[in-house]
């Protein structure tokens, strides 16, 4: 099971790095370049969501599906996605500014947020395994430019 999760999130992490770069490019792009970059961002976002769903499909059998307990607000796949984004945010913050006092304070805050997220994910997994909570229903609401998704 863990190998499947790691295999699914390897491409997600690469995709998030490419998406981060595309979002930086779109902020500096001219009007004629923006539509193509926005389509790239949508494609990368769609890939992220497919991979999140894949992680959730791998993990869901471990939790069970007791409809009598309250759901979590997000799936473990979504939480792991946020963790990956937070880690990327830390790396980019460290690189972009170069280490002044204000930057180091910001990085420390980001690291505390990441640590809280790791803790929250661990508690969420405990809640799911013990059947105190269940995963939310997996339906996607945002199609990212693809009709019928």
């Amino acid at each position: 099971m863990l190998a499947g999760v790691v295999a699914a999130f390897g491409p997600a992490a690469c995709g998030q790095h490419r998406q981060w770069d595309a979002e930086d490019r779109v902020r500096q792009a001219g009007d004629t370049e923006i539509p193509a970059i926005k389509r790239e961002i949508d494609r990368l976002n769609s890939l992220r969501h497919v991979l999140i769903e894949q992680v959730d499909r791998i993990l869901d059998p471990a939790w069970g599906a007791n409809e009598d307990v309250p759901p979590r607000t997000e799936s473990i796949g979504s939480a792991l996605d946020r963790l990956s984004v937070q880690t990327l945010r830390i790396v980019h913050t460290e690189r972009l500014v170069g280490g002044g006092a204000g930057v180091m304070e910001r990085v420390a805050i980001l690291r505390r947020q990441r640590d809280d997220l790791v803790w929250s994910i661990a508690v969420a997994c405990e809640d799911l395994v013990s059947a105190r909570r269940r995963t939310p229903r997996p339906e996607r609401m945002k199609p990212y430019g693809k009709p019928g998704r």
Side-chain angles (χ1 to χ4, degrees):
M1 176 172 43
L2 184 57
V5 172
V6 171
F9 255 89
C14 292
Q16 285 173 340
H17 184 73
R18 288 193 309 269
Q19 184 173 341
W20 189 286
D21 290 342
E23 289 172 356
D24 280 348
R25 285 195 327 271
V26 80
R27 288 183 195 98
Q28 300 167 9
D31 291 344
T32 58
E33 301 165 297
I34 290 174
I37 298 171
K38 292 297 252 176
R39 282 191 296 278
E40 178 184 358
I41 291 169
D42 281 348
R43 183 183 57 75
L44 291 167
N45 241 337
S46 181
L47 173 63
R48 276 182 52 220
H49 284 271
V50 166
L51 294 170
I52 289 168
E53 290 170 1
Q54 184 178 358
V55 166
D56 288 334
R57 278 193 303 277
I58 291 166
L59 292 175
D60 278 350
W63 322 129
N66 182 356
E67 292 294 319
D68 295 331
V69 297
R72 300 221 20 95
T73 57
E74 70 179 344
S75 71
I76 296 299
S78 293
L80 291 171
D81 177 68
R82 286 193 311 118
L83 179 61
S84 180
V85 169
Q86 184 70 7
T87 301
L88 191 58
R89 184 174 289 124
I90 291 167
V91 169
H92 277 268
T93 301
E94 289 171 333
R95 281 185 195 163
L96 288 178
V97 188
V103 173
M104 298 316 290
E105 182 178 336
R106 177 71 182 146
V107 168
I109 291 168
L110 292 171
R111 285 184 177 151
R112 282 193 304 272
Q113 290 172 341
R114 183 193 56 204
D115 292 345
D116 284 347
L117 183 54
V118 168
W119 185 18
S120 295
I121 292 168
V123 169
C125 289
E126 291 171 9
D127 284 348
L128 291 167
V129 167
S130 69
R132 287 187 300 262
R133 302 288 294 271
R134 64 178 167 83
T135 57
R137 291 181 179 82
E139 297 87 9
R140 283 179 50 192
M141 297 302 174
K142 189 168 183 180
Y144 292 103
K146 295 192 180 192
R149 278 216 68 178

mmCIF file of all heavy atoms in Angstrom, residues 14-29 33-45 88 92:
data_model
loop_
_atom_site.group_PDB
_atom_site.id
_atom_site.type_symbol
_atom_site.label_atom_id
_atom_site.label_comp_id
_atom_site.label_asym_id
_atom_site.label_seq_id
_atom_site.Cartn_x
_atom_site.Cartn_y
_atom_site.Cartn_z
ATOM 1 N N CYS A 14 6.585 16.299 -8.911
ATOM 2 C CA CYS A 14 7.171 16.880 -10.128
ATOM 3 C C CYS A 14 6.183 17.824 -10.798
ATOM 4 O O CYS A 14 6.548 18.904 -11.244
ATOM 5 C CB CYS A 14 7.576 15.784 -11.101
ATOM 6 S SG CYS A 14 8.955 14.785 -10.516
ATOM 7 N N GLY A 15 4.927 17.406 -10.842
ATOM 8 C CA GLY A 15 3.887 18.244 -11.448
ATOM 9 C C GLY A 15 3.687 19.536 -10.683
ATOM 10 O O GLY A 15 3.474 20.597 -11.271
ATOM 11 N N GLN A 16 3.766 19.472 -9.352
ATOM 12 C CA GLN A 16 3.607 20.681 -8.554
ATOM 13 C C GLN A 16 4.752 21.649 -8.794
ATOM 14 O O GLN A 16 4.538 22.859 -8.837
ATOM 15 C CB GLN A 16 3.500 20.328 -7.069
ATOM 16 C CG GLN A 16 2.155 19.757 -6.751
ATOM 17 C CD GLN A 16 2.071 19.240 -5.341
ATOM 18 O OE1 GLN A 16 3.079 18.966 -4.702
ATOM 19 N NE2 GLN A 16 0.868 19.081 -4.858
ATOM 20 N N HIS A 17 5.954 21.130 -8.973
ATOM 21 C CA HIS A 17 7.096 21.999 -9.272
ATOM 22 C C HIS A 17 6.874 22.689 -10.623
ATOM 23 O O HIS A 17 7.078 23.896 -10.749
ATOM 24 C CB HIS A 17 8.395 21.196 -9.260
ATOM 25 C CG HIS A 17 9.598 22.033 -9.471
ATOM 26 N ND1 HIS A 17 10.089 22.883 -8.502
ATOM 27 C CD2 HIS A 17 10.401 22.182 -10.550
ATOM 28 C CE1 HIS A 17 11.140 23.517 -8.981
ATOM 29 N NE2 HIS A 17 11.356 23.107 -10.211
ATOM 30 N N ARG A 18 6.419 21.912 -11.617
ATOM 31 C CA ARG A 18 6.144 22.505 -12.940
ATOM 32 C C ARG A 18 5.003 23.518 -12.847
ATOM 33 O O ARG A 18 5.045 24.561 -13.498
ATOM 34 C CB ARG A 18 5.819 21.408 -13.950
ATOM 35 C CG ARG A 18 7.034 20.583 -14.350
ATOM 36 C CD ARG A 18 6.789 19.700 -15.569
ATOM 37 N NE ARG A 18 5.597 18.875 -15.484
ATOM 38 C CZ ARG A 18 5.558 17.629 -15.003
ATOM 39 N NH1 ARG A 18 6.663 17.068 -14.560
ATOM 40 N NH2 ARG A 18 4.434 16.959 -14.970
ATOM 41 N N GLN A 19 3.987 23.217 -12.037
ATOM 42 C CA GLN A 19 2.872 24.139 -11.893
ATOM 43 C C GLN A 19 3.324 25.433 -11.214
ATOM 44 O O GLN A 19 2.928 26.525 -11.615
ATOM 45 C CB GLN A 19 1.744 23.494 -11.092
ATOM 46 C CG GLN A 19 0.520 24.385 -10.996
ATOM 47 C CD GLN A 19 -0.654 23.687 -10.365
ATOM 48 O OE1 GLN A 19 -0.704 22.463 -10.295
ATOM 49 N NE2 GLN A 19 -1.606 24.468 -9.900
ATOM 50 N N TRP A 20 4.157 25.315 -10.190
ATOM 51 C CA TRP A 20 4.690 26.495 -9.506
ATOM 52 C C TRP A 20 5.419 27.384 -10.513
ATOM 53 O O TRP A 20 5.224 28.599 -10.544
ATOM 54 C CB TRP A 20 5.636 26.042 -8.399
ATOM 55 C CG TRP A 20 6.095 27.135 -7.483
ATOM 56 C CD1 TRP A 20 7.005 28.115 -7.754
ATOM 57 C CD2 TRP A 20 5.660 27.369 -6.144
ATOM 58 N NE1 TRP A 20 7.187 28.920 -6.669
ATOM 59 C CE2 TRP A 20 6.370 28.492 -5.667
ATOM 60 C CE3 TRP A 20 4.763 26.727 -5.306
ATOM 61 C CZ2 TRP A 20 6.193 28.987 -4.383
ATOM 62 C CZ3 TRP A 20 4.602 27.224 -4.019
ATOM 63 C CH2 TRP A 20 5.306 28.340 -3.576
ATOM 64 N N ASP A 21 6.258 26.760 -11.343
ATOM 65 C CA ASP A 21 6.992 27.517 -12.356
ATOM 66 C C ASP A 21 6.050 28.177 -13.356
ATOM 67 O O ASP A 21 6.253 29.330 -13.750
ATOM 68 C CB ASP A 21 7.994 26.613 -13.084
ATOM 69 C CG ASP A 21 9.160 26.196 -12.196
ATOM 70 O OD1 ASP A 21 9.396 26.838 -11.152
ATOM 71 O OD2 ASP A 21 9.834 25.201 -12.550
ATOM 72 N N ALA A 22 5.012 27.450 -13.780
ATOM 73 C CA ALA A 22 4.044 28.013 -14.730
ATOM 74 C C ALA A 22 3.307 29.197 -14.111
ATOM 75 O O ALA A 22 3.063 30.210 -14.778
ATOM 76 C CB ALA A 22 3.053 26.935 -15.182
ATOM 77 N N GLU A 23 2.963 29.094 -12.829
ATOM 78 C CA GLU A 23 2.284 30.209 -12.171
ATOM 79 C C GLU A 23 3.200 31.426 -12.052
ATOM 80 O O GLU A 23 2.743 32.565 -12.172
ATOM 81 C CB GLU A 23 1.733 29.760 -10.816
ATOM 82 C CG GLU A 23 0.549 28.819 -10.992
ATOM 83 C CD GLU A 23 0.063 28.174 -9.711
ATOM 84 O OE1 GLU A 23 0.685 28.386 -8.643
ATOM 85 O OE2 GLU A 23 -0.939 27.444 -9.785
ATOM 86 N N ASP A 24 4.489 31.201 -11.851
ATOM 87 C CA ASP A 24 5.445 32.315 -11.863
ATOM 88 C C ASP A 24 5.519 32.938 -13.261
ATOM 89 O O ASP A 24 5.543 34.159 -13.405
ATOM 90 C CB ASP A 24 6.845 31.840 -11.452
ATOM 91 C CG ASP A 24 7.002 31.699 -9.941
ATOM 92 O OD1 ASP A 24 6.126 32.182 -9.193
ATOM 93 O OD2 ASP A 24 7.993 31.074 -9.519
ATOM 94 N N ARG A 25 5.546 32.077 -14.291
ATOM 95 C CA ARG A 25 5.636 32.581 -15.670
ATOM 96 C C ARG A 25 4.405 33.391 -16.054
ATOM 97 O O ARG A 25 4.523 34.415 -16.725
ATOM 98 C CB ARG A 25 5.810 31.424 -16.659
ATOM 99 C CG ARG A 25 7.190 30.826 -16.674
ATOM 100 C CD ARG A 25 7.466 29.935 -17.894
ATOM 101 N NE ARG A 25 6.349 29.192 -18.423
ATOM 102 C CZ ARG A 25 5.986 27.957 -18.029
ATOM 103 N NH1 ARG A 25 6.673 27.336 -17.078
ATOM 104 N NH2 ARG A 25 4.961 27.345 -18.579
ATOM 105 N N VAL A 26 3.219 32.948 -15.643
ATOM 106 C CA VAL A 26 1.999 33.639 -16.055
ATOM 107 C C VAL A 26 1.932 35.046 -15.451
ATOM 108 O O VAL A 26 1.374 35.954 -16.058
ATOM 109 C CB VAL A 26 0.724 32.814 -15.733
ATOM 110 C CG1 VAL A 26 0.315 32.932 -14.274
ATOM 111 C CG2 VAL A 26 -0.428 33.187 -16.652
ATOM 112 N N ARG A 27 2.541 35.230 -14.291
ATOM 113 C CA ARG A 27 2.546 36.553 -13.661
ATOM 114 C C ARG A 27 3.400 37.551 -14.440
ATOM 115 O O ARG A 27 3.206 38.756 -14.333
ATOM 116 C CB ARG A 27 3.063 36.455 -12.222
ATOM 117 C CG ARG A 27 2.091 35.797 -11.298
ATOM 118 C CD ARG A 27 2.619 35.775 -9.855
ATOM 119 N NE ARG A 27 1.859 34.841 -9.069
ATOM 120 C CZ ARG A 27 2.238 33.590 -8.807
ATOM 121 N NH1 ARG A 27 3.392 33.140 -9.231
ATOM 122 N NH2 ARG A 27 1.467 32.801 -8.100
ATOM 123 N N GLN A 28 4.347 37.043 -15.213
ATOM 124 C CA GLN A 28 5.250 37.916 -15.967
ATOM 125 C C GLN A 28 4.968 37.892 -17.464
ATOM 126 O O GLN A 28 5.617 38.598 -18.224
ATOM 127 C CB GLN A 28 6.691 37.481 -15.709
ATOM 128 C CG GLN A 28 7.080 37.565 -14.253
ATOM 129 C CD GLN A 28 8.390 36.852 -13.965
ATOM 130 O OE1 GLN A 28 9.096 36.424 -14.864
ATOM 131 N NE2 GLN A 28 8.712 36.728 -12.692
ATOM 132 N N ALA A 29 4.002 37.098 -17.892
ATOM 133 C CA ALA A 29 3.745 36.888 -19.321
ATOM 134 C C ALA A 29 2.988 38.058 -19.928
ATOM 135 O O ALA A 29 2.255 38.776 -19.249
ATOM 136 C CB ALA A 29 2.942 35.608 -19.516
ATOM 137 N N GLU A 33 0.684 35.366 -24.303
ATOM 138 C CA GLU A 33 1.221 34.125 -23.720
ATOM 139 C C GLU A 33 0.328 33.554 -22.620
ATOM 140 O O GLU A 33 0.377 32.343 -22.344
ATOM 141 C CB GLU A 33 2.603 34.388 -23.111
ATOM 142 C CG GLU A 33 3.632 34.901 -24.100
ATOM 143 C CD GLU A 33 4.835 35.468 -23.369
ATOM 144 O OE1 GLU A 33 4.684 36.459 -22.637
ATOM 145 O OE2 GLU A 33 5.917 34.875 -23.536
ATOM 146 N N ILE A 34 -0.467 34.381 -22.000
ATOM 147 C CA ILE A 34 -1.241 33.976 -20.823
ATOM 148 C C ILE A 34 -2.178 32.801 -21.099
ATOM 149 O O ILE A 34 -2.189 31.847 -20.316
ATOM 150 C CB ILE A 34 -1.990 35.181 -20.211
ATOM 151 C CG1 ILE A 34 -0.969 36.127 -19.579
ATOM 152 C CG2 ILE A 34 -3.044 34.734 -19.195
ATOM 153 C CD1 ILE A 34 -1.551 37.427 -19.066
ATOM 154 N N PRO A 35 -2.954 32.788 -22.182
ATOM 155 C CA PRO A 35 -3.880 31.655 -22.371
ATOM 156 C C PRO A 35 -3.178 30.287 -22.422
ATOM 157 O O PRO A 35 -3.656 29.327 -21.809
ATOM 158 C CB PRO A 35 -4.575 31.965 -23.693
ATOM 159 C CG PRO A 35 -4.499 33.455 -23.817
ATOM 160 C CD PRO A 35 -3.171 33.824 -23.201
ATOM 161 N N ALA A 36 -2.055 30.201 -23.101
ATOM 162 C CA ALA A 36 -1.348 28.915 -23.194
ATOM 163 C C ALA A 36 -0.810 28.488 -21.821
ATOM 164 O O ALA A 36 -0.885 27.314 -21.457
ATOM 165 C CB ALA A 36 -0.204 29.008 -24.205
ATOM 166 N N ILE A 37 -0.308 29.432 -21.056
ATOM 167 C CA ILE A 37 0.221 29.095 -19.733
ATOM 168 C C ILE A 37 -0.922 28.700 -18.804
ATOM 169 O O ILE A 37 -0.794 27.754 -18.016
ATOM 170 C CB ILE A 37 1.048 30.267 -19.146
ATOM 171 C CG1 ILE A 37 2.257 30.566 -20.045
ATOM 172 C CG2 ILE A 37 1.517 29.937 -17.729
ATOM 173 C CD1 ILE A 37 3.002 31.841 -19.680
ATOM 174 N N LYS A 38 -2.057 29.390 -18.894
ATOM 175 C CA LYS A 38 -3.213 29.028 -18.067
ATOM 176 C C LYS A 38 -3.711 27.621 -18.414
ATOM 177 O O LYS A 38 -4.086 26.863 -17.517
ATOM 178 C CB LYS A 38 -4.352 30.042 -18.236
ATOM 179 C CG LYS A 38 -4.041 31.405 -17.669
ATOM 180 C CD LYS A 38 -3.836 31.363 -16.190
ATOM 181 C CE LYS A 38 -4.980 31.989 -15.481
ATOM 182 N NZ LYS A 38 -4.876 31.885 -14.029
ATOM 183 N N ARG A 39 -3.697 27.263 -19.697
ATOM 184 C CA ARG A 39 -4.075 25.893 -20.076
ATOM 185 C C ARG A 39 -3.080 24.881 -19.503
ATOM 186 O O ARG A 39 -3.467 23.804 -19.060
ATOM 187 C CB ARG A 39 -4.174 25.761 -21.596
ATOM 188 C CG ARG A 39 -5.460 26.344 -22.167
ATOM 189 C CD ARG A 39 -5.657 25.979 -23.625
ATOM 190 N NE ARG A 39 -4.642 26.533 -24.498
ATOM 191 C CZ ARG A 39 -4.629 27.772 -24.977
ATOM 192 N NH1 ARG A 39 -5.608 28.599 -24.693
ATOM 193 N NH2 ARG A 39 -3.670 28.173 -25.776
ATOM 194 N N GLU A 40 -1.800 25.232 -19.488
ATOM 195 C CA GLU A 40 -0.789 24.356 -18.885
ATOM 196 C C GLU A 40 -1.068 24.179 -17.386
ATOM 197 O O GLU A 40 -1.003 23.063 -16.857
ATOM 198 C CB GLU A 40 0.611 24.944 -19.097
ATOM 199 C CG GLU A 40 1.717 24.133 -18.458
ATOM 200 C CD GLU A 40 3.088 24.795 -18.606
ATOM 201 O OE1 GLU A 40 3.212 25.862 -19.232
ATOM 202 O OE2 GLU A 40 4.046 24.219 -18.052
ATOM 203 N N ILE A 41 -1.396 25.269 -16.699
ATOM 204 C CA ILE A 41 -1.715 25.206 -15.273
ATOM 205 C C ILE A 41 -2.938 24.318 -15.050
ATOM 206 O O ILE A 41 -2.953 23.478 -14.142
ATOM 207 C CB ILE A 41 -1.922 26.622 -14.688
ATOM 208 C CG1 ILE A 41 -0.580 27.371 -14.664
ATOM 209 C CG2 ILE A 41 -2.557 26.555 -13.298
ATOM 210 C CD1 ILE A 41 -0.703 28.860 -14.367
ATOM 211 N N ASP A 42 -3.974 24.485 -15.873
ATOM 212 C CA ASP A 42 -5.169 23.634 -15.758
ATOM 213 C C ASP A 42 -4.823 22.165 -15.965
ATOM 214 O O ASP A 42 -5.307 21.288 -15.251
ATOM 215 C CB ASP A 42 -6.247 24.054 -16.761
ATOM 216 C CG ASP A 42 -7.031 25.267 -16.305
ATOM 217 O OD1 ASP A 42 -6.901 25.657 -15.124
ATOM 218 O OD2 ASP A 42 -7.782 25.821 -17.126
ATOM 219 N N ARG A 43 -3.977 21.869 -16.955
ATOM 220 C CA ARG A 43 -3.579 20.484 -17.217
ATOM 221 C C ARG A 43 -2.820 19.910 -16.027
ATOM 222 O O ARG A 43 -3.083 18.785 -15.590
ATOM 223 C CB ARG A 43 -2.721 20.427 -18.491
ATOM 224 C CG ARG A 43 -2.301 19.013 -18.898
ATOM 225 C CD ARG A 43 -1.386 19.015 -20.113
ATOM 226 N NE ARG A 43 -0.182 19.795 -19.953
ATOM 227 C CZ ARG A 43 0.888 19.429 -19.236
ATOM 228 N NH1 ARG A 43 0.894 18.278 -18.615
ATOM 229 N NH2 ARG A 43 1.941 20.205 -19.152
ATOM 230 N N LEU A 44 -1.904 20.683 -15.474
ATOM 231 C CA LEU A 44 -1.130 20.224 -14.321
ATOM 232 C C LEU A 44 -2.027 20.054 -13.086
ATOM 233 O O LEU A 44 -1.866 19.109 -12.320
ATOM 234 C CB LEU A 44 0.023 21.184 -14.028
ATOM 235 C CG LEU A 44 1.129 21.191 -15.086
ATOM 236 C CD1 LEU A 44 2.054 22.386 -14.900
ATOM 237 C CD2 LEU A 44 1.910 19.887 -15.051
ATOM 238 N N ASN A 45 -2.982 20.957 -12.906
ATOM 239 C CA ASN A 45 -3.936 20.838 -11.805
ATOM 240 C C ASN A 45 -4.778 19.580 -11.960
ATOM 241 O O ASN A 45 -5.035 18.866 -10.986
ATOM 242 C CB ASN A 45 -4.850 22.063 -11.761
ATOM 243 C CG ASN A 45 -4.725 22.819 -10.479
ATOM 244 O OD1 ASN A 45 -4.310 22.281 -9.462
ATOM 245 N ND2 ASN A 45 -5.098 24.077 -10.513
ATOM 246 N N LEU A 88 7.243 22.599 -1.016
ATOM 247 C CA LEU A 88 7.708 23.373 -2.173
ATOM 248 C C LEU A 88 7.765 24.866 -1.838
ATOM 249 O O LEU A 88 8.718 25.566 -2.216
ATOM 250 C CB LEU A 88 6.775 23.114 -3.356
ATOM 251 C CG LEU A 88 7.193 23.602 -4.714
ATOM 252 C CD1 LEU A 88 8.533 23.012 -5.120
ATOM 253 C CD2 LEU A 88 6.123 23.235 -5.739
ATOM 254 N N HIS A 92 11.114 27.197 -2.157
ATOM 255 C CA HIS A 92 11.145 28.412 -2.983
ATOM 256 C C HIS A 92 11.392 29.657 -2.145
ATOM 257 O O HIS A 92 12.086 30.577 -2.590
ATOM 258 C CB HIS A 92 9.866 28.536 -3.796
ATOM 259 C CG HIS A 92 9.913 27.742 -5.053
ATOM 260 N ND1 HIS A 92 10.346 28.253 -6.245
ATOM 261 C CD2 HIS A 92 9.602 26.451 -5.290
ATOM 262 C CE1 HIS A 92 10.294 27.322 -7.177
ATOM 263 N NE2 HIS A 92 9.851 26.207 -6.618
#
